Amino acid sequence: MDFKKLPFWGQFAVVAGMAIALVAVAFMAYPNFSDMAKKNAGYRGELEALQTEIRKGQAIEAKLPEFEKEIENLQLKLNDLLAILPTEPETGELLKWVKNLADQSNLDLRQFNPGALRTVEFYKEFPIMMDVEGDYHDLGVFFDRISKYSRIINVSGVAINAVGGPSHSIHSTFTATTFVYDDNGGASQ
C-alpha cells in the first residue's frame, strides 16, 4: 500500500492513527508524565529560590571586607568609650590618680570615701565623698584638672569653709561622681 496513492482523508486518517498510537505508547511507557511535569515545575521553583539565596550570599560575601572594617572601627570606638565609661569602678586606680592630682595641686586629701553604686538606665553612678584642705586657688586648679580626666567625673555638693591655719586657708568637702557602664542595661534593679 502506497501512502501517496491514498486519498487526502485516508492520508489524514493514517497520520492521525499514528499520532494516537504514539501518544498511547508514550502514556504507557511514562504513565506518570503529568506528575513528572508537576515535580519538574516544583524543582524549577526550588532551583530559582536557591539561586536567589546564592546571589544574596554572594552579595553579602562581596561586602564582607566592608563589614570587617566596620567591626574594627566599632571595636576602636568601644575601647575609647570604655576608657570614658569603664565596666568596673576601678577604685584603686581612681584613688591613686586623685591622690596624685591633689598632691600636684598642693592640696591635702583628708578623706576619699567611695559610696555604693547606684543604677541609672544603662550606667551606674559611683559617688565618692572627698575632703581636702589647701588654698582656694589650688582647689580651682584641682577641679580644672579633674575636668580634663579621660573619665567623666561630676563634682557636686561643694562646701568651702575658711581654716585659720598657717599652711591652709580653706577646707572643702564635695562629692565626685564618676560613672560605670552597666552590662545588664539596668536589668538588675
Side-chain angles (χ1 to χ4, degrees):
M1 171 154 112
D2 191 11
F3 184 73
K4 289 183 183 180
K5 291 184 181 181
L6 288 175
F8 172 73
W9 59 270
Q11 290 177 359
F12 181 75
V14 170
V15 170
M18 289 174 61
I20 290 172
L22 185 62
V23 170
V25 168
F27 272 108
M28 282 194 214
Y30 301 103
N32 300 328
F33 186 71
S34 60
D35 291 339
M36 293 165 75
K38 288 178 186 176
K39 284 183 182 178
N40 282 343
Y43 291 148
R44 272 191 229 104
E46 288 180 28
L47 178 64
E48 289 175 12
L50 290 173
Q51 286 175 338
T52 302
E53 288 294 318
I54 288 171
R55 284 191 292 274
K56 286 180 184 177
Q58 288 171 337
I60 291 172
E61 182 184 18
K63 291 183 179 182
L64 183 63
E66 183 180 324
F67 291 144
E68 288 173 342
K69 184 69 173 170
E70 183 68 19
I71 289 172
E72 184 179 322
N73 289 339
L74 290 173
Q75 188 64 42
L76 291 173
K77 285 182 183 179
L78 177 63
N79 292 341
D80 291 344
L81 291 175
L82 286 177
I84 295 170
L85 195 64
T87 57
E88 296 295 324
E90 301 171 349
T91 309
E93 284 185 35
L94 203 55
L95 173 60
K96 289 178 194 174
W97 180 78
V98 167
K99 177 64 176 144
N100 186 30
L101 192 62
D103 290 345
Q104 290 175 5
S105 302
N106 297 322
L107 294 174
D108 288 333
L109 181 63
R110 301 286 185 188
Q111 182 180 7
F112 182 92
N113 188 13
L117 291 171
R118 291 185 304 243
T119 302
V120 181
E121 292 183 23
F122 64 92
Y123 63 91
K124 295 178 183 177
E125 291 182 347
F126 182 48
I128 302 167
M129 295 293 300
M130 290 194 209
D131 187 349
V132 296
E133 285 188 5
D135 293 328
Y136 184 80
H137 175 74
D138 294 336
L139 183 63
V141 170
F142 179 73
F143 287 154
D144 180 58
R145 288 179 177 166
I146 283 179
S147 73
K148 292 179 173 72
Y149 188 51
S150 63
R151 286 179 65 171
I152 299 171
I153 299 177
N154 292 340
V155 176
S156 62
V158 178
I160 301 173
N161 298 314
V163 175
S167 61
H168 301 299
S169 61
I170 62 164
H171 172 261
S172 177
T173 58
F174 54 90
T175 302
T177 304
T178 187
F179 305 91
V180 177
Y181 178 70
D182 186 5
D183 289 336
N184 300 326
S188 62
Q189 291 183 356

